[in-house]
Amino acid sequence: MRVPLSWLREYVEVPVDAAPEDVLEALVRVGFEEEDVHRFELEGPIVVGEVVEFTPEPQSNGKTIRWCQVDVGPEHGGVRGIVCGADNFFAGDKVVVTLPGAVLPGPFPIAARKTYGHVSDGMIASAKELGLGDEHSGILRLVELGVDAPVGTDAIALLGLDDVAIDINVTPDRGYALSVRGVAREYSHATGAAFRDPAEREWSEVEPGTGFPIAVVDDAPIRGRVGATEFVARVVRDVDPTKPTPPWMIARLTLAGIRSLGILIDITNYVMLELGQPIHGYDLDRLAGGITVRRATAGEKLETLDGKVRTLDAEDLLITDESGPIGLAGVMGGGTTEMTDATRNVLIEAATFDTVSIARTARRHKLPSEASRRFERGVDPLVPFVAARRVADLMVEYAGGTLDPQLGGALFAEVVIAGIDLPTGFVEGLIGVDYTTEEIVAALEMIGAEVSPAHDGGWNVIPPSWRPDLTDKWTLAEEVARIEGYDRIPSVLPLPPSGRGLTLAQQGRRRVANALAAAGYVETPSFGFTTEEQNDLHGSASGGHVPSIKLANPLDGQAPFLRRSLLPGLIQVAHRNQSRGLTDLALFETGVVFLPAPGVAYGTDFVPPLAVRPDAATLATLDGSIPPQHRHVAVLLAGSAVAKQPGQAAVAAGLADALDAVRTIASAAGVAIDVAQGERAALHPGRTGVLSVGSVEVGYVGELLPAVAEASDLHGRVVVAELDLDLVLSLAGERVVAASLSGYPAATQDVSLVLGDDVPAADVRAALEEGAGELLESLRLVDDYRGRGLPEGTKSLTFALRFRAPDRTLTAAEATEAKLAGVAVATQRFGAALRE
């Protein structure tokens, strides 16, 4: 909300010497967030000048300029020669002159300069050049603003361009602050400055006339709340819509972020900003009969003020006359009854509409407006009568109209605000501050609440009409804390109860993520949305169609499905990085995937009632509507694993690096993961491995098919791995115990076995481990040779073995015996022979 300080000072005593930053600081103390300070970026001298005479001078480029003599007053040099390209002014007109040394928004410094054969000693300004509007087709004539001031007068002060606006962020629960009235009240709370409520007027002043038919017909209220509870109509006759908007009003609207659109619309916008009550004006002569507020008929059409024809929904709340819809209630008016330069009689509307109805309509039609922004947050139900009269008064004063005291209409609704019981000691217990009784009562009364003692102790509090967010004792306690100052709340770090902390699964996930990060991988969380094609490709080994969950209202219409794999997200991140020149990538992500079972329908139309804690059966129903969700971990490598450097050629990332990442995950999780050759549709045949813990498959590792990488705009070799992290951690057991470190030396042995080339190396490794027994500490494959010197159809696998005993130093004979025992098992199972 942007509030000009001159406007704020009308309703609260802001010191004359208070800087905008001082006002923002005060508002921050009562819970607002400062956004910015807005000014007209102008520097003088900018003065009122009078066009004495001008000479039109046609130019060779077809343009005609005017060589003007402009009187800016003796204190500014008297008559000055100025070149001007506009032709909408006359001799004797008073204009705004920017003299050399002035600066216009941009910044655009003004200096005397030679142009079109003359030295132009300044510039005659347009409204746009001054920041007062978008009109740039001609210069600003003060007579059009209804302004007459002596030559040489400071135009910055004359037009209100010396004003400044503060900008604060207003949260959805504090809609009352979307008005100068609300912000002025909050400044008063923060500083104790005297506040004058602009909405305080006698009923005899604001009571509308009668005779104009108004009806609300709502046969399908949303959540049982009628679409409109109050509707006020007043009539102003014989307005002149061509009268100029006063410069001070244009300046205030501009600083508040509202464009000037003519005196009638400017007045309705001005009152909306002042009181927080949206106002709409109709051309009374274009209305057909009275006004009825009703729900739309499905498929009904309405052309709104933005020129678009909208197809309406049965939930939309409409303003209608006998001709049909003439406006979307609380959102935007219709084109058939809008106020124009031909309008002579105006019907002013001020209403109270249901917040949910307005919010849904604005979102359904993608039509946010200043009016809907306020209605969906809740407006003061006691203000519509005041706001309608305020608009009428301004139209009489500045548009030359006459208030019709007889014709008008209103629908009344009794405003009943339920009291809230606030027990003694509740505020202190919740906030943690020892407030006195006087402080609590004073804070609540300061915000406008009525506080009376309760029979059983404590208080009964009736919130003010402009605070619909105060609904219970907790919100009242928050108000006490806000008014008394958040700085009084002590900073105490809560201590967790004994035995609490991260669960074993959380600890395991954290260990895995920390281990990958320590190994040089970068974590890149991504959205859990993808396409059905990506789910089919990466969500199953075969690449065939698998069931996926489609969102009813996706963030991205091109990716409406919940992911079955983490790889689509990692591939997208890799593509984004490579497109920006970052080619050496080591990425990982831990996240949830969604694995619906075939033939099972997920989702539910059941919505639990509000303000009621769901029971166990309700929660079970909701849980049953959600597909199984597993937490996975995935890695992706591309580019170089070792960068090129002096004395070192670049080493491309390959399958071995992905296997190292798998070993890192296994070590952190506390399991042993085996790799066996496998197949997946998205991975290269022969370069794909299935990952298992014992006999349980937990994931896969491999190189992306070149076609898949190319389709994703990835360059070079890309290797990936993905594991079901929840499953891996469950197989690790409840506690991971670090292995003891032996103080005895290790004995190392190598063995080369010749066997059929169709025998998986992992099976041979398992046989060696089984036969070598407990003395074997580690075993790894170091070479796979096929070719010259070996019989056709065979291969030679070389393994490095390390033996160690926990209680003694092993002899070479003991190590050799254990090795040969392993070779014996491999020979028995696969016909392996020692290579000579």
Side-chain angles (χ1 to χ4, degrees):
M1 176 67 187
R2 292 162 56 165
V3 181
L5 290 190
S6 66
W7 204 349
L8 189 68
R9 286 189 172 98
E10 290 188 5
Y11 304 119
V12 68
E13 293 183 0
V14 180
V16 176
D17 59 349
E21 291 75 15
D22 298 330
V23 178
L24 284 172
E25 182 181 355
L27 293 173
V28 167
R29 289 201 298 271
V30 287
F32 290 96
E33 180 182 346
E34 66 174 277
E35 291 286 342
D36 205 351
V37 175
H38 300 272
R39 295 179 171 89
F40 291 101
E41 301 295 337
L42 299 169
E43 294 181 18
I46 301 176
V47 301
V48 174
E50 182 177 352
V51 179
V52 177
E53 62 178 358
F54 58 83
T55 303
E57 296 183 356
Q59 303 297 310
S60 58
N61 60 4
K63 182 178 181 180
T64 298
I65 61 99
R66 287 180 173 183
W67 171 238
C68 306
Q69 301 302 309
V70 184
D71 184 7
V72 294
E75 65 273 30
H76 297 292
V79 178
R80 296 192 180 216
I82 297 176
V83 173
C84 185
D87 60 1
N88 67 318
F89 59 94
F90 309 93
D93 275 346
K94 289 185 176 179
V95 294
V96 177
V97 180
T98 58
L99 299 175
V103 178
L104 295 179
F108 181 58
I110 303 300
R113 64 190 183 95
K114 187 172 183 179
T115 179
Y116 294 107
H118 301 280
V119 175
S120 184
D121 200 13
M123 187 181 80
I124 306 175
S126 69
K128 184 174 184 179
E129 288 164 339
L130 294 171
L132 274 176
D134 296 329
E135 180 57 44
H136 192 58
S137 59
I139 60 97
L140 180 64
R141 302 170 62 221
L142 294 183
V143 68
E144 294 178 345
L145 296 180
V147 174
D148 186 15
V151 169
T153 301
D154 181 3
I156 293 179
L158 177 69
L159 300 178
L161 302 178
D162 54 351
D163 204 355
V164 59
I166 57 161
D167 193 356
I168 58 173
N169 180 32
V170 178
T171 53
D173 61 327
R174 301 174 73 178
Y176 67 93
L178 291 173
S179 66
V180 178
R181 177 197 186 205
V183 175
R185 180 182 282 110
E186 289 298 324
Y187 182 83
S188 172
H189 297 343
T191 63
F195 168 70
R196 183 181 71 82
D197 190 350
E200 285 189 0
R201 297 187 68 167
E202 295 295 331
W203 173 248
S204 58
E205 298 179 44
V206 302
E207 183 179 10
T210 58
F212 188 85
I214 300 172
V216 175
V217 180
D218 190 356
D219 298 328
I222 298 177
R223 298 179 182 174
R225 295 188 295 194
V226 177
T229 54
E230 289 182 324
F231 199 102
V232 184
R234 304 204 73 140
V235 172
V236 178
R237 297 189 180 277
D238 301 321
V239 297
D240 182 358
T242 64
K243 280 186 172 290
T245 301
W248 58 267
M249 185 180 289
I250 295 177
R252 287 181 175 181
L253 290 173
T254 301
L255 281 174
I258 302 291
R259 185 164 54 97
S260 176
L261 296 172
I263 184 63
L264 300 181
I265 297 176
D266 288 349
I267 287 173
T268 60
N269 285 333
Y270 186 84
V271 174
M272 176 186 68
L273 294 174
E274 184 175 70
L275 299 177
Q277 170 69 52
I279 304 286
H280 189 70
Y282 302 89
D283 187 327
L284 180 63
D285 299 324
R286 300 170 71 181
L287 281 171
I291 283 180
T292 299
V293 182
R294 63 171 174 82
R295 299 286 172 181
T297 302
E300 203 168 4
K301 305 286 186 181
L302 169 66
E303 182 179 352
T304 46
L305 286 173
D306 57 2
K308 295 183 179 179
V309 177
R310 301 181 184 275
T311 302
L312 304 176
D313 185 90
E315 275 193 354
D316 290 335
L317 191 67
L318 299 181
I319 308 296
T320 68
D321 64 2
E322 293 178 1
S323 67
I326 59 173
L328 277 173
V331 179
M332 184 174 284
T336 59
T337 58
E338 69 173 314
M339 296 183 294
T340 67
D341 288 345
T343 298
R344 291 295 174 266
N345 302 303
V346 176
L347 178 78
I348 302 165
E349 167 217 304
T352 301
F353 296 118
D354 173 49
T355 57
V356 175
S357 292
I358 304 307
R360 288 188 178 182
T361 295
R363 285 158 178 74
R364 182 181 299 114
H365 295 285
K366 297 180 175 61
L367 195 59
S369 64
E370 290 292 334
S372 67
R373 185 183 177 204
R374 287 162 174 79
F375 277 126
E376 65 190 22
R377 287 163 171 77
V379 299
D380 187 349
L382 301 182
V383 165
F385 295 90
V386 176
R389 178 58 190 262
R390 173 69 166 151
V391 171
D393 291 345
L394 290 175
M395 286 187 177
V396 169
E397 183 176 358
Y398 295 107
T402 303
L403 176 63
D404 188 333
Q406 304 300 322
L407 186 60
L411 288 176
F412 298 88
E414 184 179 3
V415 178
V416 178
I417 303 175
I420 302 170
D421 290 328
L422 184 62
T424 302
F426 176 79
V427 176
E428 302 94 306
L430 181 66
I431 306 301
V433 177
D434 292 329
Y435 298 113
T436 65
T437 297
E438 292 75 15
E439 286 175 330
I440 294 174
V441 173
L444 294 175
E445 289 180 342
M446 178 179 286
I447 65 171
E450 297 180 15
V451 184
S452 58
H455 298 298
D456 54 351
W459 304 273
N460 183 263
V461 182
I462 300 177
S465 59
W466 57 86
R467 294 297 303 272
D469 58 306
L470 301 181
T471 56
D472 49 42
K473 59 185 178 181
W474 289 276
T475 52
L476 293 178
E478 290 173 357
E479 284 300 292
V480 173
R482 185 174 71 90
I483 297 301
E484 289 299 320
Y486 293 129
D487 55 327
R488 292 186 59 180
I489 302 175
S491 299
V492 179
L493 184 65
L495 297 176
S498 177
R500 301 290 180 88
L502 298 178
T503 65
L504 291 175
Q506 290 170 331
Q507 293 175 22
R509 293 197 291 267
R510 184 167 293 186
R511 283 198 311 272
V512 169
N514 289 343
L516 287 172
Y521 288 80
V522 177
E523 186 171 13
T524 57
S526 56
F527 288 117
F529 314 120
T530 187
T531 64
E532 189 172 29
E533 293 75 18
Q534 290 292 315
N535 269 344
D536 292 344
L537 179 63
H538 298 286
S540 68
S542 65
H545 180 67
V546 288
S548 298
I549 297 295
K550 186 176 182 180
L551 298 174
N553 186 25
L555 288 176
D556 183 355
Q558 295 181 340
F561 289 87
L562 293 175
R563 65 186 178 189
R564 292 183 61 100
S565 166
L566 300 181
L567 287 189
L570 284 177
I571 289 172
Q572 188 175 20
V573 172
H575 164 64
R576 187 180 303 115
N577 279 271
Q578 285 193 351
S579 67
R580 287 159 175 77
L582 302 174
T583 56
D584 299 336
L585 303 172
L587 312 175
F588 85 95
E589 179 180 1
T590 61
V592 171
V593 298
F594 304 84
L595 306 175
V600 178
Y602 295 97
T604 178
D605 294 330
F606 170 68
V607 178
L610 299 176
V612 178
R613 181 180 177 84
D615 56 21
T618 300
L619 293 175
T621 300
L622 295 175
D623 287 339
S625 68
I626 302 173
Q629 302 175 46
H630 294 223
R631 189 173 295 273
H632 281 199
V633 58
V635 299
L636 180 148
L637 297 105
S640 299
V642 178
K644 181 180 179 181
Q645 52 194 298
Q648 171 69 59
V651 179
L655 192 56
D657 299 290
L659 288 169
D660 278 342
V662 171
R663 295 186 188 98
T664 299
I665 294 169
S667 176
V671 297
I673 293 182
D674 298 319
V675 185
Q677 192 166 5
E679 292 184 359
R680 287 189 74 86
L683 302 184
H684 199 296
R687 300 178 189 171
T688 301
V690 175
L691 306 176
S692 304
V693 176
S695 60
V696 180
E697 184 177 326
V698 296
Y700 58 89
V701 62
E703 178 184 330
L704 279 185
L705 273 172
V708 173
E710 183 178 354
S712 302
D713 290 329
L714 296 179
H715 310 299
R717 179 176 297 178
V718 181
V719 290
V720 298
E722 182 168 9
L723 297 88
D724 187 330
L725 185 55
D726 286 342
L727 180 57
V728 169
L729 293 173
S730 68
L731 294 172
E734 293 188 355
R735 193 172 299 278
V736 177
V737 180
S740 300
L741 297 177
S742 174
Y744 295 95
T748 59
Q749 298 269 340
D750 289 342
V751 62
S752 295
L753 299 177
V754 178
L755 66 171
D757 60 9
D758 59 341
V759 178
D763 292 348
V764 180
R765 183 180 185 276
L768 289 173
E769 285 182 340
E770 180 181 338
E774 295 182 354
L775 294 180
L776 181 65
E777 184 178 76
S778 71
L779 171 66
R780 59 190 179 91
L781 178 67
V782 296
D783 188 42
D784 182 339
Y785 175 75
R786 312 178 191 210
R788 188 174 179 181
L790 293 178
E792 186 175 352
T794 64
K795 62 182 177 182
S796 172
L797 300 180
T798 301
F799 294 90
L801 301 87
R802 186 170 68 229
F803 299 93
R804 195 192 306 265
D807 56 352
R808 67 188 188 282
T809 300
L810 288 178
T811 64
E814 288 177 307
T816 300
E817 181 181 354
K819 177 186 73 174
L820 293 177
V823 171
V825 174
T827 300
Q828 178 185 357
R829 292 183 181 174
F830 310 113
L834 286 170
R835 183 179 177 187
E836 298 179 356

